[in-house]
Amino acid sequence: MTTATPQVRTGATAQPPAPAPGPRAIGPWLVAGTVTLVLLALSPRYGYHRDELYFLLAGKHLDWGYVDQGPLVPALARLADTVAPGSLLALRTPSALLAGGATLLVAATARQFGADRSAQTFAALLGAASGIVLATGHLLSTTTVDLVIWLAAALCTVRLLRTGDGRWALAVALVLGVGMFNKLLPALLAVGLVAGLTLAGPRRLLRDRWVLAATALFGLLAAASLSWQAVNGFPQLGVAATISGGDSSYSGRLDALLLHFVIIGPFVVPIWVTGLVVLLRRSGWRSYRALGWAWLVVAGIVLFLGGKGYYDAPLLLVLTAAGAVVAAGWAARGRVRRTLLVAVVVLTTASNAVLLLPVLPADRLPAFVLAVNYDAGETIGWPAFTDSLAAVHRTLPPQEQARAIILTGNYGEAGAVARFGPQRGLPAAYSGHNSMADFGRPPDDADVVIAVGWSRPDRLRSWFTDVTLAGRVDLGVAVDNDENGGPIWLCRGLRRPWADVWDTEVRHTG
């Protein structure tokens, strides 16, 4: 049972009171602890994701920024690999903890919307079982950090809207500003929140001195995080253009649109849609209307610019929290309704666990899992990948082995060689992909190259006089990913020095 709060006036029009926060509950903590423990238990299964291998390399070249990200996740990777070198459990522990934190934030948001203890636990279950939490909680990822940043900012925004206390805007600005050191996407949320206040009010907050101070704080933190990008010509714009063109996983307008209906869980769609409708239409929730508009604006920008469909997923969890409050009240009026909500949680948990977590044998991973979860395939077979390169390297005469290097098409392949290559006697790997190009180019005398990740030899032949097919990647399992079965080229005779082609031709983003 909730108590009424005083009516809030915006301008000359009184609006109905927002629901008072619900009581504190222990259930969400139990749910959050469970999802963290499950993720930790499953973290050593399969293997590194290509992005994780990249983060480990970036962590060895710590900087204030990178072509495609900020410094936070590479620093986490460096820390984890320092504490426990080569441990997947250590590398993925931060993400498992962040997934538990995201679960608590969803439940806390529902509490601010007036959820009682059972409704908060229901919201926590939906959050913990959601695709965005499980998928990003299993892997070390910039998206995991971004998820918690957005949810924390949204929670502070809910408190700002409920209380009208502009000091909560400082918390929003601080969270989003720190998040800019991970990715630039918090700026998108800031745009959405300002647009929501402009469209739905209360507009007086746009003139509040605390909100204006928060704007200055966010600007200061954003400027600090953007300094590296500014000095280096804003390379993230090039990466964004590549994503907009569809040359990346989960990108393209149609894929982005469809992902909105599965990223939390197909069975949860009616709940978050209900949350959106409640925020936009229910008079008692008018205080929070800006949040509904914020999601509409952010999702519209993502779709219009061709961004990845999971960019605005944290706001879908905010809508889910609102919908969970309504759904729990609806289910309280009948056993059949309660059973239906239990079924939603069970089906969402089971389907997302099978599709997004390493619960099935890696050597018998069904095609439907890879069709839904591209990232699963990118966590299988990296040691065997380096074995394939080592087999080609061993065929070289000793004098060529001494000056040979490996040139990879993407950062994950270079990261795999850095992680597994030394014990196989492989030389250093280089790549022009994203910030890998800044980690160093091959030595001037490296005129024998084992190239992998190039489906066709056309580009290689513009750099070398002799390019021959030397083998193919064999991961030892029938997994359809970007590497398995790919060609391995043996290249000799540089046409031009590396210094002449590295930045102009080898360097690429995506």
Side-chain angles (χ1 to χ4, degrees):
M1 191 156 188
T2 60
T3 57
T5 57
Q7 286 191 340
V8 179
R9 297 186 65 87
T10 57
T13 304
Q15 65 184 50
R24 298 187 183 277
I26 190 64
W29 289 89
L30 298 176
V31 175
T34 299
V35 73
T36 295
L37 290 175
V38 169
L39 291 170
L40 288 174
L42 293 175
S43 61
R45 286 179 58 82
Y46 295 6
Y48 292 92
H49 187 271
R50 73 161 71 248
D51 289 353
E52 292 173 317
L53 294 166
Y54 177 42
F55 297 145
L56 287 168
L57 280 177
K60 294 178 180 178
H61 298 83
L62 284 178
D63 204 342
W64 282 106
Y66 300 88
V67 168
D68 46 3
Q69 62 187 301
L72 281 183
V73 172
L76 282 175
R78 172 75 172 267
L79 176 62
D81 203 48
T82 300
V83 172
S87 170
L88 266 177
L89 175 61
L91 185 68
R92 292 173 174 172
T93 293
S95 291
L97 295 173
L98 288 170
T103 300
L104 289 175
L105 287 169
V106 173
T109 302
R111 177 176 174 266
Q112 290 298 313
F113 287 146
D116 60 17
R117 291 186 176 89
S118 61
Q120 290 174 50
T121 302
F122 178 56
L125 287 168
L126 293 178
S130 67
I132 186 64
V133 169
L134 291 182
T136 64
H138 170 57
L139 306 172
L140 181 64
S141 168
T142 55
T143 306
T144 321
V145 177
D146 201 49
L147 173 66
V148 173
I149 291 293
W150 281 50
L151 286 174
L155 176 60
C156 293
T157 302
V158 170
R159 300 203 68 164
L160 167 66
L161 295 174
R162 182 177 62 79
T163 64
D165 186 346
R167 287 174 293 185
W168 280 105
L170 291 173
V172 176
L174 179 62
V175 170
L176 293 181
V178 171
M180 292 284 285
F181 287 94
N182 174 59
K183 295 171 74 172
L184 302 186
L185 287 176
L188 177 61
L189 177 56
V191 169
L193 292 175
V194 171
L197 285 174
T198 302
L199 292 169
R203 296 185 184 90
R204 64 173 181 80
L205 287 176
L206 297 174
R207 303 185 299 274
D208 186 279
R209 62 191 178 96
W210 291 109
V211 174
L212 295 176
T215 303
L217 174 61
F218 176 73
L220 181 64
L221 292 171
S225 65
L226 289 171
S227 60
W228 187 93
Q229 290 289 320
V231 169
N232 290 273
F234 289 97
Q236 281 203 30
L237 295 179
V239 176
T242 303
I243 292 172
S244 180
D247 188 20
S248 183
S249 59
Y250 310 114
S251 63
R253 290 179 178 84
L254 180 58
D255 286 348
L257 178 62
L258 294 177
L259 194 58
H260 284 81
F261 296 96
V262 298
I263 196 164
I264 306 300
F267 304 106
V268 187
V269 171
I271 293 176
W272 68 253
V273 169
T274 297
L276 176 62
V277 172
V278 166
L279 290 174
L280 293 179
R281 302 293 297 172
R282 184 170 289 189
S283 59
W285 291 55
R286 184 180 177 84
S287 298
Y288 307 123
R289 192 158 294 177
L291 283 169
W293 279 105
W295 176 74
L296 290 172
V297 169
V298 170
I301 292 173
V302 170
L303 295 175
F304 178 75
L305 296 180
K308 295 191 178 186
Y310 59 76
Y311 285 172
D312 58 304
L315 286 182
L316 287 180
L317 285 176
V318 174
L319 301 183
T320 299
V325 178
V326 178
W330 172 81
R333 296 193 293 271
R335 180 178 298 178
V336 174
R337 296 181 177 186
R338 288 194 294 272
T339 302
L340 182 59
L341 291 194
V342 170
V344 167
V345 172
V346 171
L347 290 173
T348 300
T349 303
S351 59
N352 284 341
V354 169
L355 292 172
L356 304 174
L357 297 180
V359 296
L360 301 176
D363 59 348
R364 295 189 298 276
L365 201 61
F368 72 85
V369 172
L370 294 175
V372 173
N373 182 14
Y374 160 85
D375 287 325
E378 294 305 314
T379 62
I380 296 173
W382 290 113
F385 167 83
T386 51
D387 286 336
S388 299
L389 298 178
V392 173
H393 185 252
R394 286 193 297 268
T395 66
L396 299 178
Q399 64 273 23
E400 288 193 341
Q401 288 187 16
R403 66 178 191 271
I405 59 104
I406 295 172
L407 181 66
T408 73
N410 67 61
Y411 54 59
E413 295 160 348
V417 175
R419 171 66 181 84
F420 301 107
Q423 57 266 47
R424 291 164 172 79
L426 285 175
Y430 300 85
S431 178
H433 189 201
N434 289 6
S435 277
M436 279 298 306
D438 298 317
F439 298 163
R441 64 171 185 259
D444 293 339
D445 63 348
D447 60 349
V448 177
V449 173
I450 299 171
V452 66
W454 309 86
S455 58
R456 298 179 60 184
D458 303 13
R459 176 57 64 91
L460 296 172
R461 285 179 177 143
S462 70
W463 302 330
F464 303 96
T465 58
D466 181 34
V467 179
T468 59
L469 182 64
R472 289 193 174 273
V473 174
D474 182 5
L475 300 186
V477 294
V479 59
D480 183 17
N481 65 10
D482 288 353
E483 281 67 44
N484 207 8
I488 303 173
W489 306 98
L490 184 58
C491 311
R492 296 182 175 92
L494 273 172
R495 295 182 183 273
R496 290 167 289 165
W498 286 110
D500 291 349
V501 301
W502 191 253
D503 286 330
T504 58
E505 298 181 33
V506 181
R507 182 187 292 270
H508 62 283
T509 60

